[in-house]
Amino acid sequence: MLRRRGIDAVSAHELGSTQLTDREQLDQAVRQGRCLVSANARDFIVIGKAAVAAGTPHGGIVLCPPRAHRGDVAGLARKLTEVARLYPRGLGEYDVIYL
């Protein structure tokens, strides 16, 4: 859905990286110059704070409500498209936002 909306997006499934830890997922996104999108707010808030404390930038983290995975995928795609419009150059290197 995101690609049809003109958003350059890939999934962990496509990359064959679903087995990676959360930190490894973020590191992979950094290497690819991507923002990471996850419904795992609990862990990624901690990882985002640790990145700030360590001075280790990332490409931004967008946290989605867990319920987004249980039905309203089109609504989630609309929200992510709006984030992309609000941040046409991408999120800041320490940004963590919650939809």
Coordinates of all heavy atoms in Angstrom, one line a residue:
M1 N 0.8 -1.2 0.0 CA 0.0 0.0 0.0 C 0.9 1.3 0.0 O 0.5 2.2 -0.6 CB -0.9 0.0 1.2 CG -2.1 -0.9 1.1 SD -3.1 -0.6 2.6 CE -4.4 -1.7 2.2
L2 N 1.9 1.2 0.7 CA 2.8 2.4 0.8 C 3.5 2.7 -0.5 O 3.5 3.8 -1.0 CB 3.9 2.3 1.9 CG 3.3 2.3 3.3 CD1 4.5 2.0 4.3 CD2 2.7 3.6 3.6
R3 N 3.9 1.7 -1.2 CA 4.5 1.9 -2.5 C 3.5 2.5 -3.5 O 3.9 3.3 -4.3 CB 5.1 0.6 -3.0 CG 6.3 0.1 -2.3 CD 7.0 -1.1 -2.9 NE 7.9 -1.7 -2.0 CZ 7.8 -2.9 -1.6 NH1 6.9 -3.7 -2.1 NH2 8.7 -3.4 -0.7
R4 N 2.3 2.0 -3.5 CA 1.3 2.6 -4.4 C 1.0 4.0 -4.1 O 0.6 4.8 -4.9 CB 0.0 1.8 -4.2 CG 0.0 0.4 -4.9 CD -1.4 -0.2 -5.1 NE -2.1 -0.2 -3.9 CZ -2.3 -1.3 -3.1 NH1 -1.7 -2.5 -3.5 NH2 -3.0 -1.3 -2.0
R5 N 1.4 4.5 -2.9 CA 1.2 5.9 -2.5 C 2.5 6.7 -2.7 O 2.6 7.8 -2.3 CB 0.8 6.0 -1.0 CG -0.5 5.4 -0.7 CD -0.7 5.3 0.8 NE -2.0 4.7 1.1 CZ -3.1 5.5 1.4 NH1 -3.0 6.8 1.4 NH2 -4.3 4.9 1.6
G6 N 3.5 6.0 -3.4 CA 4.7 6.7 -3.7 C 5.8 6.7 -2.6 O 6.8 7.4 -2.7
I7 N 5.6 5.9 -1.6 CA 6.5 5.8 -0.5 C 7.5 4.7 -0.7 O 7.1 3.5 -1.1 CB 5.8 5.5 0.9 CG1 4.6 6.5 1.1 CG2 6.7 5.5 2.0 CD1 5.1 7.9 1.3
D8 N 8.8 4.9 -0.6 CA 9.8 3.9 -0.7 C 9.9 3.1 0.6 O 10.4 3.6 1.6 CB 11.2 4.6 -1.0 CG 12.3 3.6 -1.1 OD1 12.1 2.4 -1.3 OD2 13.5 4.0 -1.0
A9 N 9.3 1.9 0.6 CA 9.2 1.1 1.8 C 9.6 -0.3 1.5 O 9.3 -0.8 0.4 CB 7.7 1.2 2.3
V10 N 10.1 -1.0 2.5 CA 10.4 -2.4 2.5 C 10.0 -3.0 3.8 O 9.9 -2.3 4.8 CB 11.9 -2.7 2.2 CG1 12.3 -2.3 0.8 CG2 12.8 -2.2 3.2
S11 N 9.8 -4.3 3.8 CA 9.4 -4.9 5.1 C 10.5 -5.9 5.5 O 11.3 -6.3 4.7 CB 8.1 -5.7 4.9 OG 8.3 -6.9 4.2
A12 N 10.5 -6.2 6.8 CA 11.5 -7.2 7.3 C 11.3 -8.5 6.6 O 12.2 -9.2 6.4 CB 11.3 -7.3 8.8
H13 N 10.0 -8.8 6.3 CA 9.7 -10.1 5.6 C 10.4 -10.1 4.2 O 11.0 -11.1 3.8 CB 8.2 -10.3 5.4 CG 7.5 -10.5 6.7 ND1 7.5 -11.6 7.4 CD2 6.8 -9.6 7.5 CE1 6.9 -11.5 8.5 NE2 6.4 -10.3 8.6
E14 N 10.3 -9.0 3.5 CA 11.0 -8.9 2.2 C 12.5 -9.0 2.3 O 13.1 -9.6 1.4 CB 10.6 -7.6 1.5 CG 9.2 -7.5 1.0 CD 8.9 -6.1 0.5 OE1 9.1 -5.1 1.3 OE2 8.6 -6.0 -0.7
L15 N 13.0 -8.4 3.3 CA 14.5 -8.5 3.5 C 15.0 -9.8 4.1 O 16.2 -10.0 4.2 CB 14.9 -7.3 4.4 CG 14.6 -5.9 3.8 CD1 15.0 -4.8 4.8 CD2 15.4 -5.7 2.5
G16 N 14.1 -10.6 4.5 CA 14.5 -11.9 5.2 C 15.1 -11.7 6.5 O 16.0 -12.4 6.9
S17 N 14.7 -10.6 7.2 CA 15.3 -10.3 8.5 C 14.4 -10.3 9.7 O 14.7 -9.6 10.7 CB 16.0 -8.9 8.3 OG 15.0 -7.9 8.0
T18 N 13.4 -11.1 9.6 CA 12.4 -11.1 10.7 C 13.1 -11.7 12.0 O 12.6 -11.5 13.1 CB 11.1 -11.9 10.4 OG1 11.5 -13.2 9.9 CG2 10.4 -11.2 9.3
Q19 N 14.1 -12.5 11.8 CA 14.8 -13.1 12.9 C 15.7 -12.2 13.7 O 16.2 -12.5 14.8 CB 15.6 -14.4 12.5 CG 16.9 -14.1 11.8 CD 16.8 -13.4 10.4 OE1 15.8 -13.3 9.8 NE2 18.0 -13.0 9.9
L20 N 16.0 -11.0 13.1 CA 16.9 -10.0 13.8 C 16.3 -9.5 15.1 O 15.1 -9.3 15.2 CB 17.2 -8.9 12.9 CG 18.0 -9.2 11.6 CD1 18.2 -8.0 10.7 CD2 19.3 -9.9 11.8
T21 N 17.2 -9.1 16.0 CA 16.7 -8.4 17.2 C 16.2 -7.0 16.9 O 16.5 -6.5 15.7 CB 17.8 -8.3 18.2 OG1 18.8 -7.4 17.7 CG2 18.5 -9.6 18.6
D22 N 15.5 -6.4 17.8 CA 15.1 -5.0 17.5 C 16.2 -4.1 17.2 O 16.2 -3.3 16.3 CB 14.3 -4.5 18.7 CG 13.0 -5.2 19.0 OD1 12.5 -5.9 18.1 OD2 12.5 -5.1 20.1
R23 N 17.3 -4.2 18.0 CA 18.5 -3.3 17.7 C 19.1 -3.6 16.3 O 19.5 -2.7 15.6 CB 19.5 -3.6 18.8 CG 20.8 -2.7 18.7 CD 20.4 -1.3 19.0 NE 21.0 -0.5 17.9 CZ 21.0 0.8 17.9 NH1 20.5 1.5 18.8 NH2 21.5 1.5 16.8
E24 N 19.1 -4.9 16.0 CA 19.7 -5.2 14.6 C 18.7 -4.7 13.5 O 19.2 -4.3 12.5 CB 19.8 -6.8 14.5 CG 20.9 -7.3 15.4 CD 20.9 -8.8 15.5 OE1 19.9 -9.5 15.3 OE2 22.0 -9.4 15.7
Q25 N 17.4 -4.7 13.8 CA 16.5 -4.2 12.8 C 16.8 -2.7 12.6 O 16.8 -2.2 11.5 CB 15.0 -4.3 13.3 CG 14.5 -5.8 13.3 CD 14.2 -6.3 11.9 OE1 14.2 -5.6 10.9 NE2 13.8 -7.6 11.9
L26 N 17.0 -2.0 13.7 CA 17.3 -0.5 13.6 C 18.6 -0.3 12.9 O 18.7 0.6 12.1 CB 17.2 0.1 15.0 CG 17.4 1.6 15.0 CD1 16.3 2.3 14.2 CD2 17.4 2.2 16.4
D27 N 19.6 -1.1 13.2 CA 20.9 -1.0 12.6 C 20.8 -1.2 11.1 O 21.4 -0.5 10.3 CB 21.9 -2.0 13.2 CG 22.3 -1.6 14.6 OD1 22.1 -0.5 15.1 OD2 22.9 -2.5 15.3
Q28 N 20.0 -2.2 10.7 CA 19.8 -2.4 9.3 C 19.1 -1.2 8.6 O 19.5 -0.9 7.5 CB 18.9 -3.7 9.1 CG 18.7 -4.1 7.6 CD 17.9 -5.4 7.5 OE1 16.9 -5.5 8.1 NE2 18.4 -6.3 6.7
A29 N 18.1 -0.7 9.3 CA 17.5 0.5 8.7 C 18.5 1.7 8.5 O 18.5 2.4 7.5 CB 16.3 1.0 9.6
V30 N 19.4 1.8 9.5 CA 20.4 2.9 9.4 C 21.3 2.7 8.2 O 21.5 3.6 7.5 CB 21.2 2.9 10.7 CG1 22.5 3.8 10.6 CG2 20.4 3.4 11.9
R31 N 21.7 1.4 8.1 CA 22.6 1.1 6.9 C 21.9 1.4 5.6 O 22.6 1.8 4.6 CB 23.1 -0.3 7.0 CG 24.1 -0.6 8.0 CD 24.7 -2.0 7.8 NE 23.7 -3.1 7.9 CZ 23.3 -3.7 9.0 NH1 23.7 -3.2 10.2 NH2 22.4 -4.6 9.0
Q32 N 20.6 1.2 5.5 CA 19.8 1.5 4.3 C 19.3 2.9 4.2 O 18.7 3.2 3.2 CB 18.7 0.5 4.2 CG 19.1 -0.9 4.1 CD 17.9 -1.9 4.0 OE1 16.8 -1.5 4.1 NE2 18.2 -3.2 3.9
G33 N 19.6 3.7 5.2 CA 19.1 5.1 5.2 C 17.6 5.2 5.3 O 17.0 6.1 4.7
R34 N 17.1 4.3 6.1 CA 15.6 4.3 6.3 C 15.2 4.6 7.7 O 15.9 4.3 8.6 CB 15.1 2.9 5.9 CG 15.3 2.5 4.5 CD 14.7 1.1 4.2 NE 14.8 0.8 2.8 CZ 14.0 1.3 1.8 NH1 13.0 2.1 2.1 NH2 14.2 0.9 0.6
C35 N 14.0 5.0 7.8 CA 13.2 5.1 9.1 C 12.7 3.8 9.4 O 12.3 3.0 8.5 CB 12.1 6.2 8.9 SG 10.9 6.2 10.2
L36 N 12.6 3.4 10.6 CA 12.0 2.1 11.0 C 10.6 2.4 11.6 O 10.4 3.3 12.3 CB 12.9 1.5 12.1 CG 12.4 0.1 12.5 CD1 13.6 -0.8 12.6 CD2 11.7 0.1 13.9
V37 N 9.7 1.5 11.1 CA 8.3 1.6 11.6 C 8.0 0.3 12.3 O 8.3 -0.8 11.8 CB 7.3 1.7 10.4 CG1 5.9 1.8 10.9 CG2 7.6 3.0 9.6
S38 N 7.4 0.5 13.5 CA 7.1 -0.7 14.4 C 5.9 -0.5 15.3 O 5.7 0.7 15.7 CB 8.4 -1.0 15.2 OG 8.1 -2.1 16.1
A39 N 5.3 -1.6 15.6 CA 4.2 -1.5 16.7 C 4.8 -1.9 18.0 O 4.1 -1.9 19.0 CB 3.1 -2.4 16.3
N40 N 6.1 -2.1 18.1 CA 6.7 -2.5 19.3 C 7.2 -1.2 20.1 O 8.4 -1.0 20.2 CB 7.9 -3.4 19.0 CG 8.5 -4.0 20.3 OD1 8.2 -3.6 21.4 ND2 9.5 -4.9 20.1
A41 N 6.3 -0.4 20.6 CA 6.7 0.8 21.2 C 7.5 0.6 22.5 O 8.5 1.3 22.7 CB 5.4 1.6 21.6
R42 N 7.1 -0.4 23.3 CA 7.9 -0.6 24.5 C 9.4 -0.7 24.3 O 10.1 -0.1 25.0 CB 7.3 -1.8 25.2 CG 7.9 -2.1 26.6 CD 7.4 -3.3 27.2 NE 5.9 -3.4 27.1 CZ 5.2 -4.4 27.4 NH1 5.7 -5.4 27.9 NH2 3.9 -4.4 27.2
D43 N 9.8 -1.6 23.4 CA 11.2 -1.8 23.2 C 11.9 -0.6 22.4 O 13.0 -0.2 22.7 CB 11.4 -3.1 22.5 CG 11.1 -4.3 23.3 OD1 11.0 -4.2 24.6 OD2 10.9 -5.4 22.7
F44 N 11.2 -0.1 21.4 CA 11.8 0.9 20.6 C 11.9 2.3 21.3 O 12.8 3.0 20.9 CB 11.2 1.0 19.2 CG 11.7 -0.1 18.3 CD1 10.9 -1.2 18.0 CD2 13.0 0.0 17.8 CE1 11.4 -2.2 17.1 CE2 13.5 -1.0 16.9 CZ 12.7 -2.1 16.6
I45 N 11.1 2.6 22.2 CA 11.3 3.8 23.0 C 12.6 3.7 23.8 O 13.4 4.6 23.9 CB 10.1 4.0 23.9 CG1 8.9 4.5 23.1 CG2 10.4 5.1 25.0 CD1 7.6 4.6 23.9
V46 N 12.8 2.5 24.4 CA 14.1 2.3 25.1 C 15.3 2.4 24.2 O 16.3 3.0 24.5 CB 14.0 0.9 25.9 CG1 15.4 0.5 26.5 CG2 12.9 0.9 26.9
I47 N 15.2 1.8 23.0 CA 16.3 1.8 22.1 C 16.5 3.2 21.6 O 17.7 3.6 21.4 CB 16.0 0.8 20.9 CG1 16.0 -0.6 21.4 CG2 16.9 1.1 19.7 CD1 15.5 -1.6 20.4
G48 N 15.5 4.0 21.3 CA 15.6 5.4 20.9 C 16.3 6.2 22.0 O 17.2 7.0 21.7
K49 N 15.9 6.0 23.2 CA 16.6 6.8 24.3 C 18.0 6.4 24.5 O 18.9 7.2 24.7 CB 15.8 6.5 25.7 CG 14.5 7.2 25.7 CD 13.8 6.9 27.1 CE 12.4 7.6 27.1 NZ 11.7 7.3 28.4
A50 N 18.3 5.1 24.3 CA 19.7 4.7 24.4 C 20.5 5.2 23.3 O 21.7 5.6 23.5 CB 19.7 3.1 24.4
A51 N 20.0 5.4 22.1 CA 20.7 6.0 21.0 C 21.1 7.4 21.3 O 22.2 7.9 21.0 CB 19.8 5.9 19.7
V52 N 20.1 8.2 21.9 CA 20.4 9.6 22.2 C 21.5 9.6 23.3 O 22.5 10.4 23.2 CB 19.1 10.3 22.8 CG1 19.5 11.6 23.4 CG2 18.1 10.4 21.7
A53 N 21.4 8.8 24.3 CA 22.4 8.8 25.4 C 23.8 8.4 24.9 O 24.8 8.9 25.3 CB 22.0 7.8 26.5
A54 N 23.8 7.5 23.9 CA 25.1 7.0 23.4 C 25.6 7.9 22.2 O 26.7 7.7 21.8 CB 25.0 5.6 22.9
G55 N 24.8 8.8 21.8 CA 25.2 9.6 20.6 C 25.2 8.8 19.3 O 26.1 9.1 18.5
T56 N 24.4 7.8 19.2 CA 24.3 6.9 18.1 C 23.1 7.3 17.2 O 22.0 6.8 17.6 CB 24.3 5.4 18.5 OG1 25.3 5.2 19.4 CG2 24.4 4.5 17.3
P57 N 23.2 8.0 16.2 CA 22.0 8.4 15.4 C 21.4 7.3 14.7 O 22.1 6.3 14.4 CB 22.6 9.5 14.5 CG 24.0 9.2 14.4 CD 24.5 8.6 15.7
H58 N 20.2 7.4 14.4 CA 19.4 6.5 13.5 C 18.6 7.3 12.5 O 18.7 8.5 12.6 CB 18.6 5.5 14.4 CG 17.6 6.2 15.3 ND1 16.5 6.9 14.9 CD2 17.7 6.4 16.7 CE1 15.9 7.4 16.0 NE2 16.6 7.1 17.1
G59 N 17.8 6.7 11.7 CA 17.1 7.4 10.7 C 15.7 7.7 11.1 O 14.9 8.1 10.3
G60 N 15.4 7.6 12.4 CA 14.0 7.9 12.9 C 13.3 6.6 13.1 O 13.5 5.6 12.5
I61 N 12.4 6.7 14.1 CA 11.5 5.5 14.5 C 10.1 6.0 14.5 O 9.8 7.0 15.2 CB 11.9 5.0 15.8 CG1 13.4 4.5 15.8 CG2 11.0 3.8 16.2 CD1 13.9 4.2 17.2
V62 N 9.2 5.3 13.8 CA 7.8 5.6 13.9 C 7.1 4.5 14.6 O 7.2 3.3 14.1 CB 7.2 5.8 12.5 CG1 5.7 6.0 12.6 CG2 7.8 7.0 11.7
L63 N 6.4 4.8 15.7 CA 5.8 3.8 16.5 C 4.3 3.8 16.2 O 3.6 4.9 16.3 CB 6.0 4.0 17.9 CG 7.5 3.9 18.3 CD1 7.7 4.4 19.8 CD2 8.1 2.6 18.1
C64 N 3.7 2.7 15.8 CA 2.3 2.5 15.5 C 1.6 1.9 16.6 O 2.1 1.0 17.3 CB 2.2 1.7 14.2 SG 3.1 2.2 12.8
P65 N 0.3 2.2 16.7 CA -0.5 1.5 17.7 C -0.5 0.0 17.4 O -0.6 -0.4 16.3 CB -1.9 2.1 17.6 CG -1.7 3.4 16.8 CD -0.5 3.2 16.0
P66 N -0.4 -0.8 18.4 CA -0.4 -2.3 18.2 C -1.7 -2.8 17.4 O -1.6 -3.7 16.6 CB -0.4 -2.9 19.6 CG 0.2 -1.9 20.4 CD -0.2 -0.5 19.8
R67 N -2.8 -2.1 17.7 CA -4.0 -2.5 17.0 C -4.0 -2.3 15.5 O -4.8 -2.9 14.7 CB -5.2 -1.7 17.6 CG -5.2 -0.3 17.2 CD -6.4 0.5 17.9 NE -6.3 1.9 17.6 CZ -5.5 2.7 18.3 NH1 -4.7 2.3 19.2 NH2 -5.5 4.0 17.9
A68 N -3.0 -1.5 15.0 CA -2.8 -1.3 13.6 C -2.6 -2.6 12.8 O -3.0 -2.7 11.6 CB -1.7 -0.3 13.3
H69 N -2.0 -3.6 13.5 CA -1.7 -4.9 12.8 C -3.0 -5.8 12.8 O -3.0 -6.8 12.2 CB -0.6 -5.6 13.5 CG 0.7 -4.9 13.3 ND1 1.4 -5.2 12.1 CD2 1.4 -4.1 14.0 CE1 2.5 -4.5 12.1 NE2 2.6 -3.8 13.3
R70 N -4.0 -5.3 13.5 CA -5.2 -6.2 13.6 C -6.4 -5.7 12.8 O -7.5 -5.8 13.2 CB -5.6 -6.3 15.0 CG -4.7 -7.1 15.8 CD -5.2 -7.4 17.2 NE -4.2 -6.7 18.1 CZ -4.6 -6.0 19.2 NH1 -5.8 -5.8 19.5 NH2 -3.6 -5.5 19.9
G71 N -6.2 -5.1 11.6 CA -7.3 -4.7 10.9 C -7.2 -3.5 9.9 O -7.3 -3.7 8.7
D72 N -6.9 -2.4 10.5 CA -7.0 -1.2 9.6 C -5.7 -0.9 9.0 O -5.0 0.1 9.3 CB -7.5 0.0 10.5 CG -7.8 1.2 9.6 OD1 -7.9 1.1 8.4 OD2 -8.0 2.3 10.2
V73 N -5.2 -1.7 8.1 CA -4.0 -1.6 7.4 C -4.0 -0.3 6.5 O -3.1 0.4 6.4 CB -3.6 -2.8 6.6 CG1 -2.3 -2.6 5.9 CG2 -3.4 -4.0 7.6
A74 N -5.2 -0.1 5.9 CA -5.3 1.1 5.0 C -5.2 2.4 5.8 O -4.6 3.3 5.4 CB -6.7 1.0 4.3
G75 N -5.8 2.4 7.0 CA -5.7 3.5 7.9 C -4.2 3.8 8.3 O -3.8 4.9 8.3
L76 N -3.5 2.7 8.6 CA -2.1 2.8 8.9 C -1.3 3.4 7.7 O -0.5 4.3 7.9 CB -1.6 1.5 9.4 CG -0.1 1.4 9.7 CD1 0.3 2.4 10.8 CD2 0.3 0.0 10.0
A77 N -1.6 2.9 6.5 CA -0.9 3.4 5.3 C -1.2 4.9 5.1 O -0.3 5.6 4.8 CB -1.3 2.6 4.1
R78 N -2.4 5.3 5.4 CA -2.7 6.8 5.3 C -1.9 7.6 6.3 O -1.4 8.6 6.0 CB -4.2 7.0 5.5 CG -5.1 6.7 4.3 CD -6.5 7.2 4.5 NE -7.2 6.6 5.6 CZ -7.8 5.4 5.6 NH1 -7.8 4.7 4.5 NH2 -8.4 5.0 6.7
K79 N -1.8 7.1 7.5 CA -1.1 7.8 8.6 C 0.4 7.9 8.2 O 1.1 8.9 8.4 CB -1.3 7.2 9.9 CG -2.7 7.4 10.5 CD -2.8 6.7 11.8 CE -4.3 6.9 12.3 NZ -4.5 6.2 13.6
L80 N 1.0 6.8 7.7 CA 2.4 6.7 7.4 C 2.6 7.6 6.2 O 3.7 8.3 6.1 CB 2.8 5.3 7.1 CG 2.9 4.4 8.3 CD1 3.2 3.0 7.9 CD2 4.0 4.9 9.3
T81 N 1.7 7.7 5.2 CA 1.8 8.6 4.1 C 1.8 10.1 4.6 O 2.6 10.9 4.1 CB 0.7 8.4 3.1 OG1 0.7 7.0 2.7 CG2 0.8 9.3 1.9
E82 N 1.0 10.4 5.5 CA 1.0 11.7 6.1 C 2.3 12.1 6.8 O 2.8 13.2 6.6 CB -0.2 11.9 7.1 CG -0.3 13.3 7.6 CD -0.5 14.4 6.6 OE1 -1.1 14.1 5.5 OE2 -0.1 15.5 6.9
V83 N 2.9 11.1 7.5 CA 4.2 11.3 8.1 C 5.2 11.6 7.0 O 6.0 12.5 7.1 CB 4.6 10.1 9.0 CG1 6.1 10.2 9.4 CG2 3.7 10.0 10.2
A84 N 5.2 10.9 5.9 CA 6.1 11.1 4.8 C 5.9 12.5 4.2 O 6.9 13.1 3.9 CB 5.9 10.0 3.8
R85 N 4.7 12.9 4.2 CA 4.5 14.3 3.6 C 5.0 15.4 4.6 O 5.5 16.4 4.2 CB 3.0 14.5 3.4 CG 2.5 13.7 2.1 CD 1.1 14.1 1.8 NE 0.6 13.3 0.7 CZ -0.5 12.6 0.7 NH1 -1.3 12.6 1.7 NH2 -0.8 11.8 -0.4
L86 N 4.8 15.1 5.9 CA 5.2 16.1 6.9 C 6.8 16.2 7.0 O 7.3 17.2 7.4 CB 4.7 15.7 8.3 CG 3.2 15.9 8.4 CD1 2.7 15.4 9.8 CD2 2.8 17.4 8.3
Y87 N 7.4 15.1 6.7 CA 8.9 15.0 6.8 C 9.5 14.5 5.4 O 10.0 13.4 5.3 CB 9.3 14.0 7.8 CG 8.8 14.3 9.2 CD1 7.6 13.9 9.7 CD2 9.6 15.1 10.0 CE1 7.1 14.2 10.9 CE2 9.1 15.5 11.3 CZ 7.9 15.0 11.8 OH 7.5 15.3 13.0
P88 N 9.4 15.4 4.4 CA 9.8 15.0 3.0 C 11.3 14.6 3.0 O 11.7 13.8 2.1 CB 9.5 16.2 2.2 CG 9.4 17.3 3.1 CD 8.9 16.8 4.4
R89 N 12.1 15.1 3.9 CA 13.5 14.7 3.9 C 13.8 13.7 4.9 O 15.0 13.4 5.2 CB 14.4 16.0 4.2 CG 14.2 17.0 3.1 CD 15.2 18.1 3.3 NE 15.1 19.0 2.1 CZ 15.2 20.3 2.2 NH1 15.4 20.9 3.4 NH2 15.1 21.1 1.2
G90 N 12.8 13.1 5.5 CA 13.0 12.0 6.5 C 13.0 12.6 7.9 O 13.0 13.8 8.1
L91 N 12.9 11.7 8.8 CA 12.9 12.1 10.2 C 14.3 12.5 10.6 O 15.3 12.1 9.9 CB 12.4 11.0 11.1 CG 11.0 10.6 11.0 CD1 10.7 9.4 11.9 CD2 10.0 11.7 11.2
G92 N 14.5 13.2 11.7 CA 15.8 13.5 12.2 C 16.5 12.3 12.8 O 15.8 11.3 13.0
E93 N 17.8 12.4 12.9 CA 18.5 11.2 13.3 C 18.3 10.7 14.7 O 18.8 9.7 15.1 CB 20.0 11.5 13.1 CG 20.6 12.7 13.8 CD 22.0 13.0 13.4 OE1 22.5 12.6 12.4 OE2 22.6 13.8 14.2
Y94 N 17.5 11.4 15.5 CA 17.1 10.9 16.8 C 15.6 10.9 17.0 O 15.2 10.7 18.2 CB 17.8 11.7 17.9 CG 19.3 11.5 17.9 CD1 20.1 12.5 17.4 CD2 19.9 10.4 18.5 CE1 21.5 12.4 17.5 CE2 21.3 10.2 18.5 CZ 22.1 11.2 18.0 OH 23.4 11.1 18.0
D95 N 14.9 11.2 16.0 CA 13.4 11.4 16.2 C 12.7 10.0 16.4 O 13.0 9.0 15.8 CB 12.8 12.0 14.9 CG 13.1 13.5 14.8 OD1 13.6 14.1 15.7 OD2 12.8 14.0 13.7
V96 N 11.8 10.1 17.4 CA 10.9 8.9 17.6 C 9.5 9.5 17.7 O 9.3 10.4 18.5 CB 11.2 8.2 18.9 CG1 10.2 7.1 19.2 CG2 12.7 7.6 18.9
I97 N 8.6 9.1 16.8 CA 7.3 9.7 16.8 C 6.3 8.5 17.0 O 6.6 7.4 16.6 CB 6.9 10.5 15.6 CG1 7.0 9.7 14.3 CG2 7.9 11.7 15.5 CD1 6.5 10.5 13.1
Y98 N 5.1 8.8 17.6 CA 4.1 7.9 17.8 C 2.8 8.3 17.0 O 2.4 9.4 17.1 CB 3.8 7.7 19.3 CG 2.9 6.6 19.6 CD1 3.4 5.3 19.8 CD2 1.5 6.8 19.8 CE1 2.6 4.2 20.1 CE2 0.7 5.7 20.1 CZ 1.3 4.5 20.3 OH 0.5 3.4 20.6
L99 N 2.3 7.4 16.2 CA 1.1 7.7 15.4 C -0.1 7.7 16.3 O -0.3 6.9 17.1 CB 0.9 6.7 14.3 CG 1.9 6.6 13.2 CD1 1.6 5.6 12.2 CD2 2.1 8.0 12.6

